[in-house]
Amino acid sequence: MKNYLILPALLLFLAFSFSSCSEDNNPDVLGTGEVKIGMGIKLQNSGNPGARLTNAGLKINSGFIQVKEVELETEGVDEAGREFEKELEYRFPEIKKITFDEFDSGVDFFIAIPAGNYEEIEVELDLIDNRNQPSLELNGTFSKQDGSSVPFKFQVFGDDDDDWDFEVELEAEDDDDLFFLDAVNNPLALFQINAEGWFSGVSTSELESAELTDGVLLITKQINGSIFRKVEQRIKDSTEIELKMN
């Protein structure tokens, strides 16, 4: 088995690398077991290729998501050679607000699972609004063509008809193959969000003519809704990733 495997996606990718996860910041640990999968979220550096922005004046430098619970599905073979499938749900003691920027590559929380041979591990983060704050928020600036700039904010509020989540699936390269996880080589799963890439379908002219709210270029479902719907679709197209191990 290789030491690590990184599969980039257009808008969001996960790097699954074998390393020693640090608990210096005492992040939450969900579940029980010898293996601790460290989960972290950061912004992808805007200098990375792939975004192909039509609005080069947009710069996103921070954001957050709020996580209600983590859903975990695993398939593998136990020590006795028996195949197993498990579905678990873990709730944080309180809603977990995870802030991120392009320099933050630390562990935000751990998922603990038993050591063993795995065929597939699927992790889903279920997002939720909390304390009048959105499920997802991005912050930055937009520089206009006349040289001026305005603060930028993108907010996603959930509702009963529109659940938001991020999902990552890790599986063996071939159906008959397994990958072994133990307490020595704890994996780190790093979500790198190319947030500016989410706006690749939005033109500079659309942002230039967008409505300002108290001097802020605010984009929500209700405010500048046509831009929101374009970005919303790009996000939904990017929130499920399949990662192969060999």
Side-chain angles (χ1 to χ4, degrees), residues 22-37:
S22 170
E23 295 186 66
D24 293 341
N25 296 324
N26 296 317
D28 293 302
V29 179
L30 306 178
T32 58
E34 303 88 343
V35 181
K36 290 184 179 179
I37 303 176

Side-chain angles (χ1 to χ4, degrees), residues 3-238:
N3 288 332
Y4 64 91
L5 179 65
I6 301 176
L7 293 183
L10 174 63
L11 304 177
L12 171 71
F13 70 85
L14 174 146
F16 190 91
S17 61
F18 288 91
S19 61
S20 176
C21 293
S22 170
E23 295 186 66
D24 293 341
N25 296 324
N26 296 317
D28 293 302
V29 179
L30 306 178
T32 58
E34 303 88 343
V35 181
K36 290 184 179 179
I37 303 176
M39 307 292 295
I41 300 174
K42 65 173 291 185
L43 286 176
Q44 182 178 334
N45 188 300
S46 59
N48 290 348
R52 297 182 180 179
L53 295 180
T54 57
N55 41 62
L58 180 62
K59 173 62 177 175
I60 298 173
N61 50 40
S62 65
F64 67 79
I65 61 173
Q66 301 202 83
V67 185
K68 172 179 60 177
E69 65 181 16
V70 177
E71 298 181 17
L72 180 68
E73 297 184 16
T74 62
E75 296 181 22
V77 178
D78 63 21
E79 294 180 353
R82 296 184 297 263
E83 295 183 355
F84 66 83
E85 294 184 15
K86 296 180 180 179
E87 295 185 12
L88 301 169
E89 292 185 2
Y90 300 120
R91 283 184 175 268
F92 291 100
E94 57 184 37
I95 300 301
K96 179 79 170 180
K97 183 177 181 179
I98 299 176
T99 60
F100 48 80
D101 57 36
E102 64 183 272
F103 305 105
D104 179 14
S105 57
V107 174
D108 293 304
F109 64 93
F110 289 92
I111 297 176
I113 61 174
N117 293 297
Y118 287 88
E119 178 182 336
E120 180 179 16
I121 298 175
E122 184 176 300
V123 180
E124 181 176 304
L125 307 182
D126 294 332
L127 308 189
I128 189 172
D129 305 348
N130 187 44
R131 297 181 178 177
N132 297 318
Q133 291 187 318
S135 299
L136 166 67
E137 180 172 298
L138 302 173
N139 295 285
T141 57
F142 175 62
S143 298
K144 296 186 174 183
Q145 293 178 323
D146 63 6
S148 64
S149 62
V150 294
F152 170 88
K153 190 182 297 289
F154 176 82
Q155 294 180 324
V156 173
F157 289 90
D159 55 50
D160 294 336
D161 300 322
D162 197 6
D163 294 330
W164 286 77
D165 57 68
F166 287 101
E167 183 176 306
V168 174
E169 182 178 324
L170 173 70
E171 63 178 21
E173 183 68 30
D174 298 313
D175 292 340
D176 296 331
D177 290 340
L178 301 171
F179 53 91
F180 179 69
L181 299 178
D182 60 15
V184 176
N185 294 313
N186 287 301
L188 168 63
L190 181 64
F191 292 84
Q192 291 196 326
I193 299 176
N194 183 355
E196 291 175 14
W198 287 342
F199 290 81
S200 59
V202 180
S203 67
T204 298
S205 61
E206 287 178 284
L207 294 177
E208 289 271 357
S209 59
E211 173 188 348
L212 297 184
T213 302
D214 297 327
V216 177
L217 203 174
L218 176 63
I219 298 175
T220 69
K221 184 177 290 188
Q222 291 76 28
I223 302 172
N224 296 309
S226 62
I227 297 176
F228 178 88
R229 286 188 291 275
K230 287 186 177 182
V231 180
E232 177 185 39
Q233 190 58 53
R234 297 287 284 181
I235 295 175
K236 289 183 175 180
D237 289 343
S238 71

